[in-house]
Amino acid sequence: MLSERDFFNETPETKQATFSCPHCRERAEYAVRWLRRTKKTALPRGANEQDRARFNKSRAYMVRVDDMLVCARCRRRFDIPNSQSVVFV
Ligand SMILES: [Zn+2]
């Protein structure tokens, strides 16, 4: 059986977002890394019927790479607050 990686091409992307540091309350803009997974144009070799069904159902999406940021002011690490880590595109 094929894995998700066989279905998608991966492109790294960066999105700007504003977060407040939970330690010092400083609001700043951060570059958050994402991975865009675009569906391949054709199913790779070795795919079986089940893979084909999964491939047909799959959609392009973006997955967030970063979970933590370092505050621009106090330099302490904090979690990216509860925003989604997977987004369909
Ligand atoms: Zn801070």
Side-chain angles (χ1 to χ4, degrees):
M1 201 154 95
L2 297 170
S3 77
E4 281 231 306
R5 296 217 152 204
D6 299 312
F7 296 168
F8 295 99
N9 293 313
E10 292 187 338
T11 323
E13 274 189 29
T14 305
K15 283 203 225 181
Q16 295 294 119
T18 304
F19 297 107
S20 294
C21 170
H23 308 295
C24 72
R25 305 281 160 205
E26 174 82 356
R27 267 178 82 76
E29 201 168 72
Y30 294 91
V32 180
R33 288 173 300 159
W34 291 74
L35 213 49
R36 181 184 287 271
R37 293 209 169 117
T38 314
K39 215 166 140 175
K40 288 185 176 172
T41 48
L43 205 57
R45 282 165 167 273
N48 60 27
E49 278 313 303
Q50 206 181 342
D51 293 326
R52 186 174 304 278
R54 281 167 65 215
F55 182 77
N56 288 340
K57 268 195 287 181
S58 63
R59 293 165 56 194
Y61 65 100
M62 292 183 75
V63 57
R64 198 177 68 214
V65 177
D66 290 320
D67 289 325
M68 299 201 79
L69 297 170
V70 175
C71 174
R73 183 165 163 227
C74 73
R75 312 305 299 170
R76 288 167 77 184
R77 287 160 64 85
F78 64 92
D79 286 315
I80 294 180
N82 73 5
S83 51
Q84 288 177 291
S85 58
V86 172
V87 178
F88 287 95
V89 290

Coordinates of all heavy atoms in Angstrom, one line a residue:
M1 N 0.8 -1.2 0.0 CA 0.0 0.0 0.0 C 0.9 1.3 0.0 O 1.9 1.3 0.7 CB -0.9 0.0 1.2 CG -2.1 0.9 1.0 SD -3.5 0.3 2.0 CE -3.3 1.4 3.5
L2 N 0.4 2.2 -0.7 CA 1.2 3.5 -0.8 C 0.9 4.4 0.4 O -0.1 4.3 1.0 CB 0.8 4.2 -2.1 CG 1.1 3.5 -3.4 CD1 0.5 4.2 -4.6 CD2 2.6 3.4 -3.6
S3 N 1.9 5.3 0.6 CA 1.7 6.2 1.7 C 1.3 7.6 1.2 O 1.4 7.8 -0.1 CB 3.0 6.3 2.5 OG 3.9 7.1 1.8
E4 N 0.9 8.4 2.0 CA 0.5 9.8 1.6 C 1.5 10.5 0.8 O 1.2 11.2 -0.1 CB 0.2 10.6 2.9 CG -1.1 10.4 3.6 CD -1.8 11.7 3.8 OE1 -1.1 12.6 4.4 OE2 -2.9 11.9 3.4
R5 N 2.8 10.2 1.1 CA 3.9 10.8 0.4 C 3.9 10.5 -1.0 O 4.5 11.3 -1.8 CB 5.2 10.4 1.1 CG 5.3 10.8 2.5 CD 6.7 11.2 2.8 NE 6.8 12.2 3.8 CZ 7.7 13.1 4.0 NH1 8.8 13.1 3.3 NH2 7.7 14.0 5.0
D6 N 3.4 9.4 -1.4 CA 3.3 9.0 -2.8 C 2.3 9.7 -3.6 O 2.3 9.7 -4.8 CB 3.1 7.4 -2.9 CG 4.2 6.6 -2.2 OD1 5.4 6.9 -2.5 OD2 3.8 5.7 -1.4
F7 N 1.3 10.3 -2.9 CA 0.2 11.0 -3.5 C 0.5 12.5 -3.8 O -0.2 13.1 -4.6 CB -1.0 10.9 -2.7 CG -1.6 9.5 -2.5 CD1 -2.6 9.3 -1.6 CD2 -1.1 8.4 -3.3 CE1 -3.1 8.0 -1.4 CE2 -1.6 7.2 -3.1 CZ -2.6 6.9 -2.1
F8 N 1.4 13.0 -3.0 CA 1.5 14.5 -3.0 C 3.0 14.9 -3.3 O 3.9 14.2 -2.9 CB 1.2 15.0 -1.6 CG -0.3 14.9 -1.2 CD1 -0.6 13.8 -0.4 CD2 -1.3 15.7 -1.7 CE1 -2.0 13.6 0.0 CE2 -2.6 15.5 -1.4 CZ -2.9 14.5 -0.5
N9 N 3.0 16.1 -3.9 CA 4.3 16.8 -4.0 C 4.3 17.8 -2.9 O 3.3 18.5 -2.6 CB 4.4 17.6 -5.3 CG 4.5 16.6 -6.5 OD1 5.3 15.6 -6.5 ND2 3.7 16.8 -7.5
E10 N 5.5 18.0 -2.2 CA 5.6 18.8 -1.1 C 6.3 20.1 -1.4 O 7.4 20.0 -2.0 CB 6.3 18.1 0.1 CG 5.5 17.0 0.7 CD 6.1 16.4 1.9 OE1 7.3 16.6 2.1 OE2 5.4 15.8 2.7
T11 N 5.8 21.3 -1.1 CA 6.5 22.5 -1.3 C 6.5 23.3 0.0 O 5.4 23.5 0.6 CB 5.7 23.4 -2.3 OG1 5.2 22.6 -3.3 CG2 6.6 24.4 -2.9
P12 N 7.7 23.7 0.5 CA 7.7 24.5 1.7 C 7.2 25.9 1.5 O 7.5 26.4 0.4 CB 9.2 24.5 2.1 CG 9.9 23.8 1.0 CD 9.0 23.4 0.0
E13 N 6.5 26.4 2.4 CA 6.0 27.8 2.3 C 6.0 28.5 3.7 O 6.1 27.8 4.7 CB 4.5 27.8 1.9 CG 4.3 27.7 0.4 CD 2.9 27.9 0.0 OE1 2.1 28.6 0.7 OE2 2.5 27.3 -1.0
T14 N 6.1 29.8 3.6 CA 6.1 30.6 4.9 C 4.9 31.5 4.9 O 4.6 32.2 3.9 CB 7.4 31.4 4.9 OG1 8.5 30.4 4.8 CG2 7.6 32.1 6.3
K15 N 4.2 31.6 6.0 CA 3.1 32.5 6.1 C 3.4 33.4 7.3 O 3.8 33.0 8.4 CB 1.8 31.7 6.4 CG 1.2 31.0 5.2 CD -0.3 30.8 5.6 CE -0.8 29.5 5.2 NZ -2.2 29.3 5.5
Q16 N 3.1 34.7 7.1 CA 3.2 35.7 8.2 C 2.0 35.6 9.1 O 0.9 35.6 8.6 CB 3.4 37.1 7.6 CG 4.6 37.3 6.8 CD 5.9 37.2 7.6 OE1 6.7 36.4 7.4 NE2 6.0 38.1 8.6
A17 N 2.2 35.7 10.3 CA 1.1 35.7 11.3 C 1.5 36.5 12.5 O 2.6 36.5 12.9 CB 0.6 34.3 11.6
T18 N 0.5 37.1 13.1 CA 0.7 37.9 14.3 C 0.4 37.1 15.6 O -0.7 36.6 15.6 CB 0.0 39.2 14.3 OG1 0.3 39.9 13.1 CG2 0.3 40.1 15.4
F19 N 1.3 37.0 16.5 CA 1.0 36.3 17.8 C 1.5 37.2 19.0 O 2.4 38.0 18.8 CB 1.7 35.0 17.8 CG 1.3 34.0 16.8 CD1 2.1 33.8 15.7 CD2 0.1 33.4 16.9 CE1 1.8 32.9 14.7 CE2 -0.3 32.5 15.9 CZ 0.5 32.2 14.8
S20 N 0.8 37.0 20.1 CA 1.2 37.7 21.3 C 2.0 36.7 22.2 O 1.6 35.5 22.4 CB 0.0 38.1 22.1 OG -0.6 39.1 21.5
C21 N 3.1 37.1 22.7 CA 3.9 36.2 23.5 C 3.2 36.0 24.9 O 2.8 37.0 25.5 CB 5.3 36.9 23.7 SG 6.3 36.1 25.0
P22 N 3.0 34.8 25.3 CA 2.3 34.6 26.6 C 3.2 35.0 27.8 O 2.6 35.2 28.9 CB 2.1 33.1 26.6 CG 3.1 32.5 25.7 CD 3.4 33.5 24.7
H23 N 4.5 35.2 27.6 CA 5.3 35.6 28.7 C 5.4 37.1 28.9 O 5.2 37.6 30.0 CB 6.7 35.0 28.5 CG 6.8 33.6 28.2 ND1 6.4 32.6 29.1 CD2 7.1 32.9 27.1 CE1 6.5 31.4 28.5 NE2 6.9 31.6 27.3
C24 N 5.7 37.8 27.9 CA 5.8 39.3 28.0 C 4.8 40.1 27.3 O 4.8 41.3 27.3 CB 7.2 39.7 27.5 SG 7.4 39.6 25.7
R25 N 3.8 39.4 26.6 CA 2.7 40.1 26.0 C 3.0 40.9 24.7 O 2.2 41.6 24.2 CB 1.9 41.0 26.9 CG 1.4 40.3 28.2 CD 0.2 39.5 27.9 NE 0.0 38.5 29.0 CZ -0.7 37.4 28.8 NH1 -1.2 37.1 27.6 NH2 -0.9 36.5 29.8
E26 N 4.2 40.8 24.3 CA 4.7 41.5 23.1 C 4.0 40.9 21.9 O 4.0 39.7 21.7 CB 6.2 41.4 22.9 CG 6.7 41.9 21.7 CD 6.9 43.4 21.7 OE1 6.6 44.1 22.7 OE2 7.5 44.0 20.7
R27 N 3.3 41.8 21.1 CA 2.7 41.3 19.8 C 3.7 41.5 18.7 O 4.3 42.6 18.6 CB 1.4 42.1 19.5 CG 0.2 41.4 20.1 CD -1.0 42.3 19.8 NE -1.5 42.1 18.4 CZ -2.3 41.1 18.0 NH1 -2.5 40.1 18.9 NH2 -2.7 40.9 16.8
A28 N 3.9 40.5 17.9 CA 4.8 40.6 16.8 C 4.4 39.7 15.7 O 3.6 38.8 15.8 CB 6.2 40.3 17.3
E29 N 5.0 40.0 14.5 CA 4.7 39.2 13.3 C 5.8 38.1 13.2 O 6.9 38.4 13.4 CB 4.6 40.0 12.1 CG 3.8 39.4 11.0 CD 3.5 40.4 9.8 OE1 4.5 40.7 9.1 OE2 2.4 40.7 9.7
Y30 N 5.3 36.9 12.9 CA 6.3 35.8 12.8 C 6.1 35.1 11.5 O 5.0 35.1 10.9 CB 6.1 34.8 13.9 CG 6.4 35.3 15.3 CD1 5.4 35.9 16.0 CD2 7.7 35.2 15.8 CE1 5.7 36.4 17.3 CE2 7.9 35.8 17.1 CZ 6.9 36.4 17.8 OH 7.2 36.9 19.0
A31 N 7.2 34.6 11.0 CA 7.1 33.7 9.8 C 6.9 32.3 10.2 O 7.8 31.7 10.8 CB 8.4 33.9 8.9
V32 N 5.8 31.7 9.9 CA 5.5 30.3 10.3 C 5.7 29.4 9.1 O 5.2 29.7 8.0 CB 4.1 30.2 10.9 CG1 3.8 28.8 11.3 CG2 3.9 31.2 12.0
R33 N 6.4 28.4 9.3 CA 6.7 27.4 8.2 C 5.5 26.4 8.0 O 5.0 25.9 8.9 CB 8.0 26.7 8.4 CG 9.2 27.6 8.2 CD 10.4 26.8 8.6 NE 10.4 26.4 10.0 CZ 11.1 25.4 10.5 NH1 11.9 24.8 9.8 NH2 11.0 25.1 11.8
W34 N 5.1 26.3 6.7 CA 4.1 25.3 6.4 C 4.6 24.4 5.2 O 5.6 24.8 4.6 CB 2.8 26.0 5.9 CG 2.1 26.7 6.9 CD1 2.4 27.9 7.5 CD2 0.8 26.4 7.5 NE1 1.5 28.3 8.4 CE2 0.5 27.4 8.4 CE3 0.0 25.3 7.3 CZ2 -0.7 27.3 9.2 CZ3 -1.2 25.2 8.0 CH2 -1.5 26.2 9.0
L35 N 4.0 23.3 5.0 CA 4.3 22.5 3.9 C 3.0 22.3 3.1 O 2.0 21.9 3.6 CB 4.7 21.1 4.4 CG 5.7 20.3 3.7 CD1 7.0 21.1 3.4 CD2 6.1 19.1 4.6
R36 N 3.1 22.7 1.8 CA 1.9 22.6 0.9 C 2.0 21.2 0.2 O 3.1 20.9 -0.4 CB 1.9 23.7 -0.1 CG 0.7 23.7 -1.1 CD 0.8 24.7 -2.1 NE 0.6 26.1 -1.6 CZ -0.7 26.6 -1.5 NH1 -1.7 25.9 -2.0 NH2 -0.8 27.8 -1.0
R37 N 1.0 20.4 0.4 CA 1.0 19.1 -0.3 C 0.0 19.2 -1.5 O -1.2 19.3 -1.3 CB 0.6 18.0 0.7 CG 1.6 17.8 1.7 CD 1.7 16.4 2.3 NE 2.8 16.2 3.1 CZ 2.8 15.9 4.4 NH1 1.7 15.7 5.0 NH2 3.9 15.7 5.0
T38 N 0.5 19.2 -2.7 CA -0.3 19.2 -3.9 C -0.3 17.8 -4.5 O 0.7 17.1 -4.6 CB 0.4 20.2 -4.9 OG1 0.8 21.4 -4.2 CG2 -0.5 20.5 -6.0
K39 N -1.5 17.5 -4.9 CA -1.7 16.1 -5.4 C -0.9 15.9 -6.7 O -0.9 16.8 -7.5 CB -3.2 16.0 -5.7 CG -3.8 14.6 -5.5 CD -5.3 14.7 -5.5 CE -5.9 13.5 -6.2 NZ -7.3 13.5 -6.2
K40 N -0.3 14.8 -6.8 CA 0.4 14.5 -8.0 C -0.6 14.3 -9.2 O -1.7 14.0 -8.9 CB 1.2 13.2 -7.8 CG 2.4 13.4 -6.9 CD 3.3 12.2 -6.8 CE 4.5 12.5 -5.9 NZ 5.3 11.3 -5.6
T41 N -0.1 14.5 -10.4 CA -1.0 14.4 -11.5 C -1.4 13.0 -11.8 O -2.5 12.8 -12.4 CB -0.3 15.1 -12.8 OG1 1.0 14.5 -12.9 CG2 -0.3 16.6 -12.6
A42 N -0.6 12.1 -11.5 CA -0.9 10.7 -11.8 C -0.5 9.8 -10.6 O 0.4 10.1 -9.8 CB -0.2 10.2 -13.0
L43 N -1.2 8.7 -10.5 CA -0.9 7.8 -9.4 C 0.4 7.1 -9.7 O 0.7 6.7 -10.8 CB -2.1 6.7 -9.4 CG -2.4 6.0 -8.1 CD1 -2.7 6.9 -7.0 CD2 -3.6 5.1 -8.4
P44 N 1.3 6.9 -8.7 CA 2.5 6.3 -9.0 C 2.4 4.8 -9.2 O 1.4 4.2 -9.0 CB 3.3 6.6 -7.7 CG 2.3 6.9 -6.6 CD 1.1 7.4 -7.3
R45 N 3.5 4.3 -9.8 CA 3.5 2.8 -10.1 C 3.3 2.0 -8.8 O 3.7 2.4 -7.7 CB 4.9 2.5 -10.6 CG 5.2 2.8 -12.0 CD 6.7 2.8 -12.2 NE 7.0 2.8 -13.7 CZ 7.0 1.8 -14.4 NH1 6.8 0.6 -13.9 NH2 7.2 1.9 -15.7
G46 N 2.7 0.9 -9.0 CA 2.5 0.0 -7.9 C 1.3 0.2 -7.1 O 1.1 -0.4 -6.1
A47 N 0.4 1.1 -7.6 CA -0.8 1.5 -6.8 C -1.8 0.4 -7.1 O -2.0 -0.1 -8.2 CB -1.3 2.8 -7.3
N48 N -2.5 0.0 -6.0 CA -3.6 -1.0 -6.2 C -4.9 -0.3 -6.2 O -5.0 1.0 -6.1 CB -3.5 -2.1 -5.1 CG -3.6 -1.5 -3.7 OD1 -4.2 -0.5 -3.5 ND2 -3.0 -2.2 -2.7
E49 N -6.0 -1.0 -6.2 CA -7.3 -0.4 -6.3 C -7.6 0.5 -5.1 O -8.3 1.5 -5.2 CB -8.4 -1.5 -6.4 CG -8.6 -2.0 -7.8 CD -8.7 -0.8 -8.8 OE1 -9.6 0.0 -8.7 OE2 -7.9 -0.8 -9.8
Q50 N -7.2 0.0 -3.9 CA -7.4 0.7 -2.7 C -6.7 2.1 -2.7 O -7.2 3.1 -2.3 CB -6.9 -0.1 -1.5 CG -7.6 0.2 -0.2 CD -7.1 -0.6 0.9 OE1 -6.4 -1.7 0.7 NE2 -7.3 -0.2 2.2
D51 N -5.4 2.0 -3.2 CA -4.6 3.3 -3.3 C -5.3 4.2 -4.3 O -5.4 5.4 -4.0 CB -3.3 2.9 -3.9 CG -2.4 2.1 -2.9 OD1 -2.5 2.3 -1.7 OD2 -1.6 1.3 -3.4
R52 N -5.9 3.7 -5.4 CA -6.6 4.5 -6.4 C -7.8 5.2 -5.7 O -8.0 6.4 -5.9 CB -7.0 3.6 -7.5 CG -7.6 4.4 -8.7 CD -7.9 3.5 -9.9 NE -6.7 2.7 -10.3 CZ -5.8 3.2 -11.1 NH1 -5.9 4.5 -11.6 NH2 -4.7 2.5 -11.4
A53 N -8.5 4.5 -4.9 CA -9.7 5.1 -4.2 C -9.2 6.2 -3.3 O -9.8 7.3 -3.2 CB -10.4 4.0 -3.5
R54 N -8.2 5.9 -2.5 CA -7.6 6.9 -1.6 C -7.1 8.2 -2.4 O -7.4 9.3 -2.0 CB -6.5 6.4 -0.8 CG -7.0 5.5 0.4 CD -5.8 4.7 1.0 NE -4.8 5.6 1.6 CZ -3.5 5.3 1.6 NH1 -3.0 4.2 1.0 NH2 -2.7 6.1 2.2
F55 N -6.4 7.9 -3.5 CA -5.9 9.0 -4.3 C -7.0 9.9 -4.8 O -6.9 11.1 -4.8 CB -5.1 8.4 -5.4 CG -4.4 9.4 -6.3 CD1 -3.3 10.1 -5.9 CD2 -4.9 9.7 -7.5 CE1 -2.7 11.1 -6.7 CE2 -4.3 10.7 -8.3 CZ -3.2 11.4 -7.9
N56 N -8.1 9.2 -5.3 CA -9.2 10.0 -5.9 C -9.9 10.9 -4.8 O -10.4 11.9 -5.1 CB -10.2 9.1 -6.5 CG -9.6 8.5 -7.8 OD1 -8.7 9.0 -8.4 ND2 -10.2 7.4 -8.3
K57 N -9.9 10.4 -3.6 CA -10.6 11.1 -2.5 C -9.7 12.2 -1.9 O -10.2 13.1 -1.3 CB -11.0 10.2 -1.4 CG -12.4 9.6 -1.5 CD -12.8 9.0 -0.3 CE -12.1 7.6 0.0 NZ -12.6 7.0 1.2
S58 N -8.4 12.1 -2.1 CA -7.5 13.0 -1.4 C -7.5 14.4 -2.1 O -7.8 14.6 -3.2 CB -6.0 12.4 -1.4 OG -5.6 12.3 -2.7
R59 N -7.3 15.4 -1.2 CA -7.3 16.8 -1.6 C -6.0 17.4 -1.2 O -5.4 17.0 -0.2 CB -8.4 17.5 -1.0 CG -9.8 17.1 -1.4 CD -10.8 17.6 -0.4 NE -10.8 19.1 -0.3 CZ -11.3 19.8 0.7 NH1 -12.0 19.2 1.6 NH2 -11.3 21.1 0.7
A60 N -5.6 18.5 -1.9 CA -4.4 19.3 -1.5 C -4.6 19.9 -0.2 O -5.8 20.3 0.2 CB -4.2 20.3 -2.6
Y61 N -3.6 20.0 0.6 CA -3.7 20.6 1.9 C -2.4 21.2 2.3 O -1.4 20.9 1.7 CB -4.3 19.7 3.0 CG -3.4 18.5 3.3 CD1 -2.6 18.5 4.5 CD2 -3.4 17.3 2.5 CE1 -1.8 17.4 4.8 CE2 -2.6 16.3 2.8 CZ -1.8 16.3 4.0 OH -1.1 15.2 4.3
M62 N -2.4 21.9 3.4 CA -1.2 22.5 4.0 C -1.1 22.0 5.4 O -2.1 22.0 6.1 CB -1.2 24.0 3.9 CG -1.1 24.5 2.5 SD -1.1 26.3 2.5 CE 0.6 26.6 3.0
V63 N 0.1 21.7 5.8 CA 0.3 21.2 7.2 C 1.4 22.2 7.8 O 2.4 22.5 7.2 CB 0.7 19.7 7.2 CG1 1.9 19.4 6.4 CG2 0.8 19.3 8.7
R64 N 1.1 22.6 9.0 CA 2.0 23.5 9.7 C 3.2 22.7 10.2 O 3.1 21.7 10.8 CB 1.3 24.2 10.8 CG 2.0 25.4 11.3 CD 1.3 26.2 12.4 NE 1.3 25.3 13.6 CZ 0.3 25.3 14.4 NH1 -0.8 26.0 14.3 NH2 0.4 24.6 15.5
V65 N 4.4 23.3 9.9 CA 5.6 22.6 10.4 C 6.0 23.1 11.8 O 6.4 22.3 12.6 CB 6.8 22.9 9.4 CG1 8.1 22.3 9.8 CG2 6.5 22.5 8.0
D66 N 5.9 24.4 12.0 CA 6.3 24.9 13.3 C 5.2 24.7 14.4 O 4.0 24.9 14.1 CB 6.5 26.4 13.2 CG 7.8 26.7 12.4 OD1 8.8 26.0 12.5 OD2 7.8 27.7 11.6
D67 N 5.6 24.3 15.5 CA 4.7 24.2 16.7 C 5.0 25.3 17.7 O 4.2 25.7 18.5 CB 4.9 22.9 17.4 CG 4.3 21.7 16.6 OD1 3.3 21.9 15.9 OD2 4.9 20.6 16.6
M68 N 6.3 25.7 17.7 CA 6.7 26.7 18.7 C 7.4 27.9 18.0 O 8.0 27.8 16.9 CB 7.7 26.1 19.6 CG 7.1 24.9 20.4 SD 8.0 24.6 21.9 CE 7.4 25.8 23.0
L69 N 7.4 29.0 18.6 CA 8.0 30.2 18.2 C 8.9 30.8 19.3 O 8.7 30.4 20.5 CB 7.0 31.3 17.8 CG 6.1 30.9 16.6 CD1 5.0 32.0 16.6 CD2 6.8 30.9 15.3
V70 N 9.9 31.6 18.9 CA 10.7 32.2 19.9 C 10.3 33.7 19.9 O 10.4 34.4 18.8 CB 12.2 32.0 19.6 CG1 13.1 32.8 20.6 CG2 12.6 30.6 19.7
C71 N 10.0 34.2 21.0 CA 9.5 35.6 21.1 C 10.6 36.6 20.6 O 11.8 36.4 21.0 CB 9.2 35.9 22.6 SG 8.8 37.7 22.8
A72 N 10.2 37.6 19.9 CA 11.1 38.5 19.3 C 11.7 39.5 20.4 O 12.7 40.1 20.2 CB 10.4 39.4 18.2
R73 N 11.0 39.6 21.5 CA 11.4 40.5 22.5 C 12.2 39.8 23.7 O 13.3 40.1 23.9 CB 10.2 41.3 23.1 CG 10.6 42.3 24.1 CD 9.4 43.2 24.3 NE 9.6 44.0 25.5 CZ 8.6 44.1 26.4 NH1 7.4 43.6 26.2 NH2 8.8 44.8 27.5
C74 N 11.5 38.8 24.3 CA 12.1 38.2 25.5 C 12.9 36.9 25.2 O 13.5 36.3 26.0 CB 11.0 37.9 26.6 SG 9.9 36.6 26.2
R75 N 12.7 36.5 23.9 CA 13.5 35.3 23.4 C 13.0 34.0 24.1 O 13.7 33.0 23.9 CB 15.0 35.4 23.6 CG 15.6 36.7 23.2 CD 15.3 37.1 21.7 NE 15.8 36.1 20.8 CZ 15.5 36.1 19.5 NH1 14.7 37.0 19.0 NH2 16.0 35.2 18.7
R76 N 11.9 34.0 24.8 CA 11.4 32.7 25.3 C 10.6 32.0 24.3 O 9.9 32.7 23.5 CB 10.7 33.0 26.6 CG 11.6 33.4 27.8 CD 10.8 33.9 28.9 NE 10.2 32.8 29.7 CZ 9.4 33.1 30.8 NH1 9.2 34.3 31.1 NH2 8.9 32.1 31.4
R77 N 10.5 30.7 24.4 CA 9.7 29.9 23.5 C 8.3 29.8 23.9 O 8.0 29.8 25.1 CB 10.3 28.5 23.4 CG 11.6 28.4 22.6 CD 12.4 27.2 22.9 NE 11.7 26.0 22.5 CZ 11.7 25.5 21.3 NH1 12.4 26.0 20.3 NH2 11.0 24.4 20.9
F78 N 7.4 29.8 22.9 CA 6.0 29.6 23.3 C 5.3 28.8 22.1 O 5.7 28.8 21.0 CB 5.2 30.9 23.6 CG 5.2 31.9 22.4 CD1 4.1 31.9 21.5 CD2 6.2 32.8 22.2 CE1 4.0 32.8 20.5 CE2 6.1 33.7 21.1 CZ 5.0 33.7 20.3
D79 N 4.2 28.1 22.5 CA 3.5 27.3 21.5 C 2.7 28.2 20.6 O 2.1 29.2 21.1 CB 2.5 26.4 22.3 CG 3.1 25.2 23.0 OD1 4.0 24.6 22.3 OD2 2.8 25.0 24.1
I80 N 2.5 27.8 19.4 CA 1.6 28.6 18.5 C 0.2 28.3 19.0 O -0.2 27.2 19.1 CB 1.8 28.1 17.1 CG1 3.2 28.5 16.6 CG2 0.7 28.7 16.2 CD1 3.5 28.1 15.1
P81 N -0.5 29.4 19.4 CA -1.8 29.2 20.1 C -2.8 28.5 19.1 O -3.0 28.9 18.0 CB -2.2 30.6 20.5 CG -1.4 31.5 19.7 CD -0.1 30.8 19.2
N82 N -3.5 27.5 19.7 CA -4.6 26.7 19.1 C -5.0 26.9 17.7 O -6.0 26.4 17.3 CB -5.8 26.8 20.0 CG -6.5 28.1 19.9 OD1 -6.1 29.0 19.1 ND2 -7.5 28.3 20.8
S83 N -4.3 27.6 16.8 CA -4.7 27.7 15.4 C -4.5 26.3 14.7 O -3.8 25.5 15.2 CB -3.9 28.8 14.7 OG -2.5 28.6 14.9
Q84 N -5.2 26.2 13.7 CA -5.2 24.9 13.0 C -3.8 24.5 12.5 O -3.1 25.4 12.0 CB -6.2 25.0 11.8 CG -7.6 25.0 12.1 CD -8.4 25.2 10.8 OE1 -8.4 26.2 10.2 NE2 -9.1 24.1 10.5
S85 N -3.5 23.3 12.5 CA -2.2 22.8 12.0 C -2.4 22.2 10.6 O -1.4 21.9 10.0 CB -1.5 21.9 12.9 OG -2.3 20.8 13.2
V86 N -3.6 22.0 10.2 CA -3.9 21.4 8.8 C -5.0 22.2 8.2 O -6.0 22.5 8.8 CB -4.3 19.9 8.9 CG1 -4.7 19.4 7.5 CG2 -3.2 19.1 9.4
V87 N -4.7 22.7 6.9 CA -5.7 23.5 6.2 C -5.9 23.0 4.8 O -4.9 22.8 4.1 CB -5.2 25.0 6.1 CG1 -6.2 25.8 5.4 CG2 -5.0 25.6 7.5
F88 N -7.1 22.7 4.4 CA -7.3 22.3 3.0 C -7.3 23.5 2.1 O -7.8 24.6 2.5 CB -8.6 21.5 2.9 CG -8.6 20.1 3.5 CD1 -9.0 19.9 4.8 CD2 -8.0 19.1 2.8 CE1 -8.8 18.7 5.4 CE2 -7.9 17.8 3.3 CZ -8.3 17.6 4.6
V89 N -6.7 23.3 1.0 CA -6.6 24.5 0.0 C -7.3 24.3 -1.3 O -7.8 23.2 -1.5 CB -5.1 24.7 -0.3 CG1 -4.4 25.3 1.0 CG2 -4.3 23.5 -0.7
Ligands
ZN1 ZN 8.1 37.5 25.0

